């Protein structure tokens, strides 16, 4: 299993960023995929997930209405469209397979850094 996140960077408050995560090593469409994030000094928490077949989505309260998770099973890729960014969205963002997971999850990728400046 390999999960490679990309698309992070620097954004201004109110701006947008689009993250991608390319998966390999498993049958992507069979699995729920999720995005986690870890802000400086805070725990790694789940913010969005999407089911494999029907694409049913769920969001944490702090990103609901601003972030959109989607997937392309033909490309083995899960996306996170982030809009109306806030300084508290500054974090390293990770994608994972089959949530929920703990820090001991063996397939954490390198993550992608998102920094929102005011």
């Amino acid at each position: 299993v390999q999960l490679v996140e990309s698309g992070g960077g620097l954004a201004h408050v109110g701006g947008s960023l689009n993250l991608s995560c390319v998966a390999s090593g498993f049958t992507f469409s069979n699995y729920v995929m999720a995005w986690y994030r870890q802000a400086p000094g805070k725990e790694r928490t789940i913010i969005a997930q999407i089911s494999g077949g029907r694409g049913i989505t769920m969001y944490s309260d702090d990103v609901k209405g601003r972030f959109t998770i989607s997937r392309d099973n033909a490309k083995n890729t899960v996306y996170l469209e982030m809009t109306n960014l806030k300084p508290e969205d500054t974090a390293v963002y990770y994608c994972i397979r089959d949530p929920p997971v703990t820090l001991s999850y063996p397939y954490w990728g390198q993550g992608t850094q998102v920094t929102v400046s005011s």
Side-chain angles (χ1 to χ4, degrees):
V1 174
Q2 189 173 20
L3 302 163
V4 180
E5 303 93 345
S6 64
L10 178 65
H12 294 294
V13 171
S16 302
L17 283 173
N18 294 310
L19 307 184
S20 299
C21 171
V22 179
S24 61
F26 62 98
T27 304
F28 181 75
S29 59
N30 287 354
Y31 288 88
V32 175
M33 298 296 295
W35 285 94
Y36 276 66
R37 70 182 180 186
Q38 186 168 20
K42 296 189 176 181
E43 294 183 351
R44 198 169 295 188
T45 58
I46 189 169
I47 57 171
Q49 67 179 59
I50 184 167
S51 66
R54 297 174 63 187
I56 297 171
T57 59
M58 296 178 63
Y59 299 92
S60 63
D61 288 343
D62 50 353
V63 306
K64 193 177 299 181
R66 300 188 298 120
F67 291 9
T68 302
I69 187 171
S70 61
R71 65 191 296 158
D72 185 336
N73 288 339
K75 295 182 178 180
N76 285 4
T77 302
V78 60
Y79 304 97
L80 187 68
E81 179 185 6
M82 305 187 295
T83 63
N84 191 20
L85 285 164
K86 304 176 180 181
E88 51 265 41
D89 294 320
T90 295
V92 180
Y93 286 71
Y94 303 88
C95 73
I96 62 97
R97 180 190 83 171
D98 204 16
V101 301
T102 66
L103 284 178
S104 62
Y105 178 70
Y107 306 126
W108 291 108
Q110 83 287 350
T112 187
Q113 174 71 49
V114 171
T115 303
V116 183
S117 66
S118 55

